[in-house]
């Protein structure tokens, strides 16, 4: 294990908002930032000391990042695994490449969750559409068919209610093998963000309850409005998975809570997560500061929640209405990510609202008119 100290350079693969917030946290402690991203003036590039503009599998660019960085991390999982694997042999990448290999493939991910002894919905895997039709009776309906690779915010998947709809899943196989999961009649979605350093010290952030619109995260409410036993079980499952994966850095574990109070693990993300943005204002340490501590080999801080909080995503269509209402809501903490174009459904920022009355704050969000469908 290396101890990376202020004044040294942290390389970040990926220049989006997660890299930006990671970089800002690192800069507070005096680190320099290098970023590799295909886009000039990316959100992270705007705050970086060194901006390398190239594709994630560009060998020369990866070599340049290696040369200028004392430690390398990544802001999202859909990067080039082979390039990252080679990088780990030549540079200090404490998270390794195996975590990315597993989490960028839903089939590998589900197998790893099962191997950890954590609960998942029943599922089958299929390399071809014909194999799916042969095996579907093992699973039954309703079910959700998802591509093994790619897909996010509801893309790359289709819900099937009956065998008559099977053809709707055929086009998914153009991209990759697929996984079909039994549909889970859940009551709530929650997420646990667990962070671990190379010595094995780990902590979970306070658990978030997540509300989605159009398959995109809309709001995170913390603490999650579930029972104490559910919170304890959720943290236990996240710890089992982190241990199985020998995690260094950050892992977000998305879960379904059933009406019975049982938990089913849905997905993993090996990085800071949208549902943890609230921690910037609402905790004694944010997910980004803790991530930097973890990859730099520092001791971690036990996260504490100052007060209840609601985080709301700002998509492209919300940017202008939000700007017009800034003066009306002085208690809102507004984060905009510096993206060049405010496209519809594109994540452009978020707003954090500390509160001692969650229901009143949810009503305030609704009545603001900014997030109307």
């Amino acid at each position: 294990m290396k101890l990376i100290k202020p004044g040294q350079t942290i390389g970040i693969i990926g220049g989006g908002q997660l890299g930006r917030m990671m970089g800002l946290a690192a800069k507070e402690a005096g680190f320099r930032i290098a970023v590799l991203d295909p886009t000039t003036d990316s959100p992270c590039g705007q705050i970086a000391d060194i901006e390398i503009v190239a594709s994630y599998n560009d060998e020369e660019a990866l070599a340049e990042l290696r040369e200028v960085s004392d430690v390398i991390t990544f802001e999202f999982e859909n990067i080039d695994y082979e390039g990252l694997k080679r990088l780990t042999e030549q540079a200090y990448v404490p998270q390794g490449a195996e975590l990315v290999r597993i989490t960028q493939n839903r089939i590998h991910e589900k197998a790893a969750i099962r191997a950890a002894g954590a609960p998942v919905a029943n599922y089958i895997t299929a390399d071809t559409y014909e194999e799916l039709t042969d095996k579907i009776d093992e699973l039954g309906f309703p079910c959700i068919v998802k591509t093994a690779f790619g897909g996010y915010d509801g893309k790359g998947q289709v819900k099937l209610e009956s065998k008559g709809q099977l053809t709707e899943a055929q086009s998914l196989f153009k991209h990759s093998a697929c996984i079909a999961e039994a549909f889970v009649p859940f009551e709530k979605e929650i997420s646990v963000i667990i962070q671990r350093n190379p010595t094995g010290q780990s902590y979970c952030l306070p658990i978030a309850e997540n509300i989605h619109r159009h398959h995109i995260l809309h709001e995170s409410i913390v603490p999650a409005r579930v029972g104490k036993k559910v919170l304890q079980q959720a943290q236990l499952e996240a710890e089992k998975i982190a241990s199985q994966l020998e995690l260094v850095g950050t892992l977000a574990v998305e879960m379904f809570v059933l009406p019975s109070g049982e938990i089913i693990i849905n997905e993993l993300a090996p990085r800071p997560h949208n549902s943890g943005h609230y921690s910037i204002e609402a905790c004694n340490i944010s997910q980004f500061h803790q991530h930097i501590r973890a990859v730099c080999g520092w001791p971690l801080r036990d996260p504490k929640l100052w007060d209840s909080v609601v985080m709301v995503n700002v998509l492209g269509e919300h940017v202008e209405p939000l700007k017009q209402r800034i003066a009306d809501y002085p208690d809102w903490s507004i984060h905009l990510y510096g993206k060049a174009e405010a496209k519809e459904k594109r994540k452009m920022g978020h707003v954090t609202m500390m509160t001692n009355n969650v229901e009143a704050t949810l009503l305030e969000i609704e009545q603001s008119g900014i997030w109307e469908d």
Side-chain angles (χ1 to χ4, degrees):
M1 185 190 85
K2 290 184 182 179
L3 182 67
I4 308 300
K5 298 177 181 177
Q8 293 185 281
T9 299
I10 299 172
I12 301 174
I13 302 175
Q17 64 265 25
L18 299 178
R20 179 190 182 95
M21 289 182 274
M22 211 184 278
L24 288 170
K27 277 181 161 286
E28 284 182 21
F31 289 102
R32 289 172 56 80
I33 297 298
V35 63
L36 169 63
D37 192 86
T39 308
T40 305
D41 197 43
S42 64
C44 186
Q46 292 166 14
I47 62 99
D49 300 282
I50 302 165
E51 185 181 13
I52 302 168
V53 180
S55 63
Y56 300 125
N57 60 358
D58 185 308
E59 289 295 334
E60 286 186 16
L62 287 167
E64 184 181 349
L65 185 69
R66 183 183 74 231
E67 289 300 315
V68 300
S69 302
D70 297 289
V71 61
I72 294 174
T73 184
F74 45 82
E75 67 131 17
F76 74 138
E77 59 272 35
N78 291 322
I79 55 179
D80 181 61
Y81 162 69
E82 293 296 338
L84 182 64
K85 187 179 178 186
R86 286 191 293 275
L87 197 61
T88 62
E89 296 162 2
Q90 303 161 333
Y92 183 49
V93 188
Q95 292 157 279
E98 185 67 5
L99 187 63
V100 164
R101 185 191 70 81
I102 291 169
T103 53
Q104 69 181 199
N105 181 310
R106 287 190 172 99
I107 295 172
H108 295 160
E109 182 176 283
K110 279 288 190 291
I113 296 168
R114 267 193 176 165
V120 294
N122 290 335
Y123 70 90
I124 57 172
T125 64
D127 290 326
T128 64
Y129 175 68
E130 290 70 29
E131 186 180 357
L132 177 69
T133 59
D134 289 343
K135 293 167 76 172
I136 196 67
D137 287 335
E138 297 173 29
L139 187 65
F141 298 93
C143 67
I144 300 175
V145 184
K146 302 176 181 179
T147 55
F149 281 98
Y152 63 95
D153 290 344
K155 300 177 177 71
Q157 61 180 261
V158 61
K159 184 180 177 186
L160 306 179
E161 300 285 354
S162 67
K163 195 172 275 192
Q165 288 183 284
L166 263 174
T167 54
E168 293 179 24
Q170 192 165 3
S171 63
L172 296 178
F173 288 89
K174 292 177 184 175
H175 306 287
S176 72
C178 288
I179 185 169
E181 304 170 14
F183 179 74
V184 177
F186 60 90
E187 198 168 70
K188 288 184 187 290
E189 292 185 49
I190 61 173
S191 56
V192 183
I193 295 172
I194 184 166
Q195 301 182 287
R196 192 168 180 264
N197 71 8
T199 69
Q201 183 191 27
S202 71
Y203 288 109
C204 295
L205 282 177
I207 295 171
E209 172 188 343
N210 299 321
I211 296 169
H212 290 77
R213 283 189 187 172
H214 311 294
H215 302 287
I216 301 170
L217 181 64
H218 172 52
E219 293 167 335
S220 288
I221 300 163
V222 187
R225 296 171 296 179
V226 295
K228 187 176 179 181
K229 283 187 178 179
V230 172
L231 295 174
Q232 290 171 338
Q233 191 64 36
Q235 181 165 326
L236 179 64
E237 302 302 344
E239 288 168 349
K240 288 195 292 194
I241 296 166
S243 179
Q244 171 70 23
L245 295 175
E246 298 180 341
L247 174 71
V248 173
T250 302
L251 183 74
V253 186
E254 298 179 53
M255 308 180 184
F256 296 132
V257 182
L258 309 189
S260 63
E262 292 177 84
I263 285 169
I264 296 288
I265 310 300
N266 180 29
E267 289 184 338
L268 308 178
R271 49 165 172 79
H273 192 260
N274 196 169
S275 64
H277 293 351
Y278 75 88
S279 60
I280 296 171
E281 282 84 18
C283 293
N284 62 334
I285 186 158
S286 77
Q287 65 169 340
F288 301 103
H289 289 83
Q290 193 87 298
H291 180 82
I292 294 301
R293 283 174 168 263
V295 298
C296 290
W298 290 21
L300 304 186
R301 185 177 297 164
D302 186 359
K304 306 291 184 195
L305 187 70
W306 297 130
D307 210 341
S308 298
V309 61
V310 180
M311 187 282 304
V312 195
N313 267 333
V314 176
L315 306 183
E317 60 269 34
H318 306 140
V319 173
E320 284 308 315
L322 174 65
K323 286 180 179 178
Q324 290 171 20
R325 300 299 305 276
I326 283 174
D328 299 330
Y329 298 102
D331 293 332
W332 291 6
S333 296
I334 295 168
H335 298 254
L336 292 173
Y337 303 145
K339 293 183 179 179
E341 189 180 351
K343 295 178 183 175
E344 188 171 345
K345 300 291 178 280
R346 186 186 196 192
K347 290 175 184 172
M348 300 297 295
H350 70 270
V351 179
T352 306
M353 305 164 189
M354 304 287 287
T355 180
N356 55 18
N357 188 331
V358 166
E359 296 305 323
T361 299
L362 294 174
L363 184 62
E364 180 180 82
I365 292 165
E366 189 180 323
Q367 291 178 340
S368 73
I370 294 166
W371 287 275
E372 289 179 347
D373 269 341

